[in-house]
Amino acid sequence: MEYTVQHLGKLAGISTRTLRYYDEIELLMPARINSSGYRIYGQHEVDRLQQILFYRELGIPLEQIKDIMSSPAYDGTRALMNHREQLLDKRRQLDILIANVEQTIASNEGRLTMTNAEKFEGFKKKLIDDNEQTYGKEIREKYGDDQINKSNQKLQNMTQEQHEEVTRLAEEIAETLAKAFKQGNPASELAQKAADLHKQWLMFYWSAYSKEAHAGLAQMYVDDERFKAYYDVNQPGTAEFLRDAIHIYTGVH
Amino acid sequence: MEYTVQHLGKLAGISTRTLRYYDEIELLMPARINSSGYRIYGQHEVDRLQQILFYRELGIPLEQIKDIMSSPAYDGTRALMNHREQLLDKRRQLDILIANVEQTIASNEGRLTMTNAEKFEGFKKKLIDDNEQTYGKEIREKYGDDQINKSNQKLQNMTQEQHEEVTRLAEEIAETLAKAFKQGNPASELAQKAADLHKQWLMFYWSAYSKEAHAGLAQMYVDDERFKAYYDVNQPGTAEFLRDAIHIYTGVH
DNA sequence: TTAAGGGTTTACGTAACGTGAATGTCAATA
DNA sequence: TATTGACATTCACGTTACGTAAACCCTTAA
C-alpha cells in the first residue's frame, strides 16, 4: 500500500500540513519522492505514524518523540506497554477531575462545602504528572519495568499465581466475548462459554456464588456507566450482550 | 482569604506568568491592586479560576472560555454538568485508545492482525470530538439539556422514580462514607450506616441479596482498579474503609 | 544596609501547526 | 487540444499560551 499526504492524512485523521511539518522536522519522512516531487508513504511509515500519535496523545513534545524513537534502545512493544500505563494514569487523573466536578456541583447546590485547596484537586495531580514526564523521562526509560510492577502490586494481596490466573481469565473473557458478539447470539456455545469464564473470574472476588447475584451483576454492567464503558470499548452493545448471555447461563431474568 | 499571584498559583498548580497572562487578556483579573501594585485575588477569583481550568482541561481556547463565561446566559452549575459530560466523553475516548494500544501490542506479538484503518481508531474519534467542540459550540449551548437527557436515558430501563432514588442513594453513600472515613472507625455508627445504604443501593441491581455476595463485592472494590479509583477519589483508603465497614456489617470475612 | 525573596512591566522566544500565496501536476471533460 | 478541478509543491507569515530573561521596585529579617 502506498499513500500520498492526503491519503495518509485521512487514514490517520491529521492534516496534510502536519505530515509536511513532520517531514520538515524529520520526525516522519516519506518512503520516497515520486517523479513529480510528491511524498509517497509506505507501510513502515504508517506504523511509525501510529506510534508517533500515541506519544503525541500523551503530550510528549515532538522533539522528544524523535529522540525516543531514534534511540538505539528503542523497543516498540515495551514502549507500547509504557503508553498503556500512562494512559491508565491519565484515566485515573480524569476520574479525579470528574469527581471534582461532581463535588463542585454539589457544593454549588449547597449540599457540601469545599475548601479552596480541594477545588483544584484534579489539576494539581496533572502538574505533578507533567513534571514527571518532563524531568523523569530517562528515569522512566530505565526503571519502566519497576513502575509497572509497582502498579500491579495493588493486587498483591492475591498470591502471584492467583493474580496471573485472574488476569489470564479476564483476557480470555474479553476474547471469547468478542468472538461470540460477532456471531450475535447470546445463547450460542461461545457466549455461554464467556458467561462461564465470567463466573470463574467472579469466584476470585466473591466468597460465595449465587445465580441471582451473578445475574444482578450482569444487569449492573449495563446500568453502570463505568462498567458499560469498559465492556463497550471495542463494540458498542457488548455489555448488553454479556448480560443476556449471563441471564441465559444463570437462568435468572 | 486574599492571595498574591504566588499564593494563588501554588493553590491552583499554575505559574505566576499564567496568572499575569490571564489578567492581560482579561480572562481573570485580580480583585484589587494594592498600594505597591501587587495583584490581590479574593474568593470570587478562586472560584472563577477553577471554572477556567475546567474548561482549559477540555482543550477549549482561552478566548472562547472568556466568551462562554461572560455570556449573560452563563449558568455555572449547568456549565459544570456539561463539563462532566465532556469529561466522561474524554474518558470513553481514552478507553478506546487504551484498547487500541493493547490491540497493537497483541498485533506486534503476532497474536492478531490489524488493518491500517484500525491502527488509528482512537485518534479519529478525537478529531470528530474536536470538530464538534469547535463548530458545535453554540449548538451545545442551546441544546445542552437535551444532551444530558440523552446520556441519562441509558438508565431509563429503570423507572423515573427508581432512577432518582438510586442517584440519591449513591450521593448519600458518598457523603456518609466521607464523614465516617474522617472518624476513622469502620465499626462506627456512621460507617455502618454507609454500609446499610450501600446494601439498599445494591438492591436496585441485584434481584437477590446475600451477605457473602455483598462482602465479596466489597473486596472487589479494593481489588479492581476501576472501583478503587472511584472510591478513593477524595481520600485514598476509602475503598478499604468501605470494605471493612461492609465486612463488619455483613459479619462475613 | 544588605541580601533574600517576593512583586512589577516589557519584550522576545517557542511549539505545532493554520492559513494563505504562488506555482506545478494529473485525469477527465468540453 | 485546451481547460478545469482537485490534487501536489515550497515559501513565509500568523497564532496560541505561555516560558524566560532583563531591568526594576517593595518588604522583611539578619
Side-chain angles (χ1 to χ4, degrees):
Chain A
M1 263 299 174
E2 300 213 311
Y3 302 90
T4 65
V5 272
Q6 185 109 334
H7 291 147
L8 184 52
K10 278 247 170 73
L11 180 66
I14 59 177
S15 72
T16 59
R17 174 67 171 103
T18 299
L19 284 172
R20 284 194 205 96
Y21 180 64
Y22 288 179
D23 184 10
E24 187 187 329
I25 64 171
E26 301 186 321
L27 175 59
L28 178 71
M29 285 126 88
R32 63 191 182 84
I33 308 267
N34 79 3
S35 57
S36 329
Y38 288 19
R39 291 171 177 82
I40 307 292
Y41 299 87
Q43 186 56 44
H44 177 64
E45 286 71 32
V46 171
D47 292 337
R48 185 176 166 97
L49 178 56
Q50 188 201 15
Q51 302 248 5
I52 290 171
L53 293 184
F54 276 135
Y55 281 114
R56 192 180 71 163
E57 192 64 21
L58 299 174
I60 298 173
L62 300 183
E63 201 54 40
Q64 260 189 52
I65 297 179
K66 214 169 91 180
D67 289 352
I68 294 171
M69 292 185 65
S70 66
S71 144
Y74 180 67
D75 170 350
T77 302
R78 238 191 72 187
L80 283 172
M81 304 189 43
N82 238 302
H83 287 328
R84 190 173 154 280
E85 276 307 305
Q86 289 193 242
L87 288 172
L88 288 173
D89 273 2
K90 237 185 152 177
R91 193 173 60 175
R92 261 170 242 136
Q93 210 261 326
L94 247 183
D95 283 337
I96 294 173
L97 253 180
I98 291 168
N100 189 326
V101 173
E102 280 165 358
Q103 270 195 36
T104 306
I105 293 172
S107 147
N108 276 359
E109 290 172 354
R111 285 193 279 113
L112 70 92
T113 52
M114 286 173 84
T115 68
N116 278 338
E118 279 168 347
K119 285 178 186 169
F120 295 100
E121 213 35 60
F123 303 118
K124 279 204 190 150
K125 267 270 162 118
K126 206 202 160 187
L127 222 208
I128 294 164
D129 284 3
D130 286 355
N131 274 346
E132 228 256 354
Q133 205 170 76
T134 310
Y135 303 114
K137 178 190 130 202
E138 309 96 274
I139 298 166
R140 184 166 305 182
E141 287 284 313
K142 279 185 196 157
Y143 302 113
D145 285 351
D146 263 352
Q147 218 205 4
I148 290 169
N149 288 343
K150 199 181 70 191
S151 140
N152 284 351
Q153 269 172 358
K154 284 175 197 157
L155 293 171
Q156 294 214 339
N157 31 5
M158 298 192 201
T159 69
Q160 185 60 29
E161 306 96 67
Q162 277 183 320
H163 180 221
E164 273 168 28
E165 174 68 7
V166 84
T167 307
R168 198 190 57 69
L169 262 175
E171 278 167 18
E172 206 181 340
I173 292 171
E175 263 179 65
T176 311
L177 193 57
K179 277 187 208 155
F181 184 74
K182 274 178 193 152
Q183 296 181 3
N185 177 14
S188 72
E189 204 183 316
L190 214 53
Q192 290 307 299
K193 189 187 165 194
D196 185 66
L197 287 169
H198 186 261
K199 175 189 170 181
Q200 290 178 45
W201 178 75
L202 257 188
M203 297 307 286
F204 278 96
Y205 298 109
W206 290 8
S207 45
Y209 176 81
S210 85
K211 285 176 181 180
E212 284 75 19
H214 191 188
L217 186 65
Q219 181 60 42
M220 190 158 87
Y221 281 1
V222 175
D223 293 331
D224 189 304
E225 286 189 331
R226 288 166 289 158
F227 276 116
K228 192 157 163 39
Y230 179 77
Y231 280 100
D232 280 357
V233 151
N234 300 311
Q235 284 133 334
T238 304
E240 280 90 347
F241 185 83
L242 177 58
R243 177 201 56 192
D244 294 340
I246 291 175
H247 279 185
I248 291 163
Y249 179 79
T250 58
V252 180
H253 294 271
Chain B
M1 262 299 171
E2 302 212 312
Y3 303 89
T4 65
V5 274
Q6 184 109 340
H7 291 147
L8 184 51
K10 278 248 169 72
L11 179 66
I14 58 177
S15 73
T16 60
R17 174 66 171 101
T18 299
L19 284 171
R20 285 195 205 95
Y21 180 64
Y22 288 178
D23 184 10
E24 187 186 330
I25 64 171
E26 300 185 321
L27 175 59
L28 179 71
M29 284 126 87
R32 62 189 182 82
I33 308 269
N34 79 3
S35 58
S36 329
Y38 290 16
R39 291 173 177 79
I40 307 292
Y41 299 86
Q43 186 56 45
H44 179 65
E45 286 71 32
V46 172
D47 291 338
R48 186 176 165 95
L49 178 55
Q50 188 201 16
Q51 303 248 4
I52 291 170
L53 294 185
F54 276 136
Y55 281 113
R56 191 180 71 164
E57 190 66 21
L58 298 173
I60 297 173
L62 300 182
E63 200 55 37
Q64 260 190 52
I65 298 179
K66 214 169 91 179
D67 289 352
I68 294 171
M69 293 185 66
S70 67
S71 145
Y74 180 68
D75 171 349
T77 302
R78 236 191 72 187
L80 284 171
M81 308 196 31
N82 240 302
H83 286 328
R84 188 173 156 281
E85 276 307 304
Q86 290 194 242
L87 287 173
L88 288 173
D89 274 1
K90 236 185 153 176
R91 194 174 58 175
R92 260 170 241 136
Q93 210 261 325
L94 246 185
D95 283 337
I96 294 172
L97 253 181
I98 291 168
N100 189 325
V101 173
E102 279 165 358
Q103 271 192 38
T104 305
I105 292 172
S107 146
N108 276 0
E109 290 172 354
R111 285 194 279 113
L112 69 90
T113 52
M114 287 171 85
T115 69
N116 278 338
E118 278 169 348
K119 285 178 184 169
F120 296 100
E121 213 35 61
F123 302 118
K124 280 205 188 150
K125 268 270 163 119
K126 204 201 162 188
L127 222 205
I128 295 164
D129 284 4
D130 287 356
N131 273 345
E132 227 256 352
Q133 205 169 76
T134 310
Y135 303 114
K137 178 190 130 205
E138 308 96 274
I139 298 166
R140 186 166 304 183
E141 286 284 312
K142 279 183 194 158
Y143 301 112
D145 285 351
D146 263 351
Q147 218 203 7
I148 290 167
N149 287 342
K150 200 181 68 192
S151 140
N152 284 352
Q153 269 172 359
K154 284 176 201 157
L155 293 172
Q156 293 213 339
N157 33 4
M158 297 192 202
T159 71
Q160 185 59 29
E161 306 95 69
Q162 277 181 319
H163 181 220
E164 273 168 29
E165 173 68 6
V166 85
T167 307
R168 199 192 55 69
L169 261 174
E171 281 167 17
E172 208 183 336
I173 291 171
E175 263 179 66
T176 312
L177 193 56
K179 278 187 207 153
F181 183 74
K182 274 178 191 150
Q183 295 180 3
N185 178 12
S188 73
E189 203 181 317
L190 215 52
Q192 289 307 298
K193 189 186 165 196
D196 185 57
L197 286 168
H198 186 260
K199 175 189 171 181
Q200 289 178 45
W201 179 75
L202 255 188
M203 297 307 287
F204 278 96
Y205 296 109
W206 290 9
S207 46
Y209 177 82
S210 84
K211 286 177 180 179
E212 285 76 18
H214 193 188
L217 186 66
Q219 180 60 43
M220 190 158 84
Y221 281 2
V222 175
D223 292 334
D224 190 303
E225 286 189 331
R226 288 166 288 158
F227 276 116
K228 191 156 163 42
Y230 179 77
Y231 281 100
D232 279 357
V233 150
N234 301 310
Q235 284 131 334
T238 304
E240 278 89 348
F241 183 83
L242 177 58
R243 177 200 56 192
D244 293 341
I246 290 176
H247 279 186
I248 291 163
Y249 178 79
T250 59
V252 181
H253 294 271

